[in-house]
Amino acid sequence: MSLPQKQLAIVISEAGPPGVLRAAEIAVPTLAEDEVLVAVEAAGVNRHDCNQRRSGPKPGQSPVPGLEVAGRIAAVGSNVSKTRIGELVTALIQGGGYAQFAVADSALALPWPTGLTAVAAAALPEALFTAWYNIFVRMRLAEGERLLIHGGTSGVASVAMQALSAMG
């Protein structure tokens, strides 16, 4: 697959309400050795994206919002197996998801769960990775233990409750 040099993206033109989001033509990102380029089919929208739009991108931050995407791997960095090209993934990224192509660390580009639409798959990474890391990695919560979750209607909390139920 030949990649274009330019892509269409949604950028934050200045800090403000949703109307500051604009379509723009930008360069297709280049890859570091451990990264993959995802041809984006859907991007998640979460609180971080809204806060970034309200305050404007910070220095060094992408003007293209979007921390989570679902799509197909279109290219890989030099340390990533070429067999991953074409793989359907959902990925947690460092911004740039509101574009045709987005860069992800290869370790954070996970298989797109069977049976999910692109929109549903794109909505998983931020909430699921946050819940999993905090509950099972940091807290080391084990079967039979209990956890109190405040604000159970947030994305992270709702995914956490589902994960906790599934894990017993």
Side-chain angles (χ1 to χ4, degrees):
M1 169 183 181
S2 176
L3 295 173
Q5 292 186 341
K6 298 283 187 180
Q7 65 173 330
L8 185 61
I10 301 299
V11 299
I12 302 169
S13 62
E14 61 184 307
V20 302
L21 297 173
R22 303 271 189 258
E25 188 175 75
I26 64 171
V28 170
T30 57
L31 296 175
E33 58 190 18
D34 292 316
E35 294 177 330
V36 297
L37 186 68
V38 179
V40 176
E41 292 187 31
V45 178
N46 58 56
R47 183 175 297 140
H48 178 275
D49 302 322
C50 296
N51 290 338
Q52 183 186 17
R53 177 199 29 87
R54 273 190 216 95
S55 63
K58 292 178 177 56
Q61 195 177 48
S62 173
V64 180
L67 297 177
E68 50 194 352
V69 297
R72 189 175 299 276
I73 294 178
V76 296
S78 61
N79 283 348
V80 181
S81 172
K82 290 193 182 326
T83 62
R84 292 206 65 188
I85 295 174
E87 184 180 328
L88 286 172
V89 296
T90 183
L92 183 62
I93 62 176
Q94 293 294 317
Y98 294 13
Q100 291 176 290
F101 294 94
V103 172
D105 183 295
S106 63
L108 298 178
L110 302 176
W112 179 328
T114 304
L116 294 186
T117 65
V119 171
L124 281 177
E126 178 71 8
L128 185 57
F129 287 19
T130 300
W132 190 270
Y133 177 75
N134 284 296
I135 294 168
F136 298 110
V137 176
R138 297 283 308 213
M139 294 173 56
R140 296 188 185 109
L141 197 69
E143 187 174 347
E145 294 181 320
R146 297 184 186 276
L147 174 70
L148 174 63
I149 296 176
H150 294 274
T153 59
S154 73
V156 172
S158 62
V159 167
M161 289 186 283
Q162 292 175 58
L164 288 164
S165 293
M167 300 297 285

